[in-house]
Amino acid sequence: MAARTHNVAIIGYGLSAKVFHVPLIEAVPELKLHSIVQRHPQPDNDASKDHPNTKIYHAAKEMVQDGSVDIVVVTTPPPTHFDLAKLALENGKHAIVEKPFVPSWKEANQLIGLARETDRLLTVYHNRRWDSDFLTLHHLLRTNTLGRIVEFASHLDRHKPSLAGAKAWKSRPEPGGGAIYDLGTHLIDQCVLLFGVPKKITAFLGSQRQGDQTRYEDSCTVLLHYGDGMLATLKVAVISPETKQLRFWVRGERGSWKKYHADPQEAHLAEGKGPNDAGFGVEPADWAGTLTTTTDNDNDNNNINNNSTLTSHPHPTLTPPPTYKSFYTQFLHALSSAQQDDVPVKPTDAAVVIRLVELARKSSEEGRTVDV
């Protein structure tokens, strides 16, 4: 029997929809891009021209009345996420929400409750769970290659000292805005996935760009303090004049792993490559991280000594790489099982991320470390 096709509607037609969702949906045979909600088409940005066989709506309220739509993907700016996801769930649609989930923990919990009441699936597009470098690190930790971790550093830095050209919603203070919601949520989600929820948090949110009068927080440094003494440093910077940007630096009793360069999938999607194309998501060989390990102790932590010999070598990133397509194939599995726990990103996980963002803002505003 042929697999059922699920009709997908996307709300919004900006970078998120065009680069991160449409190519992935079109790469999964069981999904059909059924409709797009675009309020104000422009001559150089018109969904009806790009997708002539797709139904076009100019209002989300009209689209959710379409009984043939099964799944709604919300890709609009963060302040709209709550209302649009709520609208989708209330009208019997499964909902996929672009990160950041919603601006507040309260809103996140309200949507989780609504999904439960309506018996619809709800998930959040934390796609960097499928970055090949992150999954390479996950393997190193799972195999205890680095031993007990004492420091974890995760960066998404760029060198963009000018605000010119930034997307409007990414350059003004508003609910769900700022670096910590934009890229910081990726870093927090990955860290919590690896190490769990921290005990305390210290954060510094602000603007690195000179002369920015908008109070837009373009950068952030977040310290997550864990009960076993491990410290995680998560950093987003817009002034980082480096020829290669640090991505991860993880140090443990048995070794360390240092990785430069961000996962290439975003760049490949922006270039027009699809997840089913040859070479998609594959890093250049010289992007491999550096793995440094001790060579003269066994798996008994008590045998680690100060005279251990250290060796370093390139450690290839996971090959073949996972891709962001995995998010949608896993969502298909959840549709088949009809189990909320089978979605690719549990909304409760995404809610924890938002709660940590709120505590980070509190820490920064009050100039102190706060309990989680």
Side-chain angles (χ1 to χ4, degrees), residues 108-121:
N109 286 320
Q110 287 178 334
L111 288 180
I112 291 168
L114 180 59
R116 188 180 303 115
E117 292 170 11
T118 57
D119 196 27
R120 297 293 85 185
L121 299 180

Side-chain angles (χ1 to χ4, degrees), residues 12-23 44-46 50-51 269:
Y13 196 62
L15 175 70
S16 173
K18 290 187 283 189
V19 172
F20 287 110
H21 291 278
V22 169
D44 60 346
N45 182 29
D46 189 334
D50 296 341
H51 302 278
L269 287 167

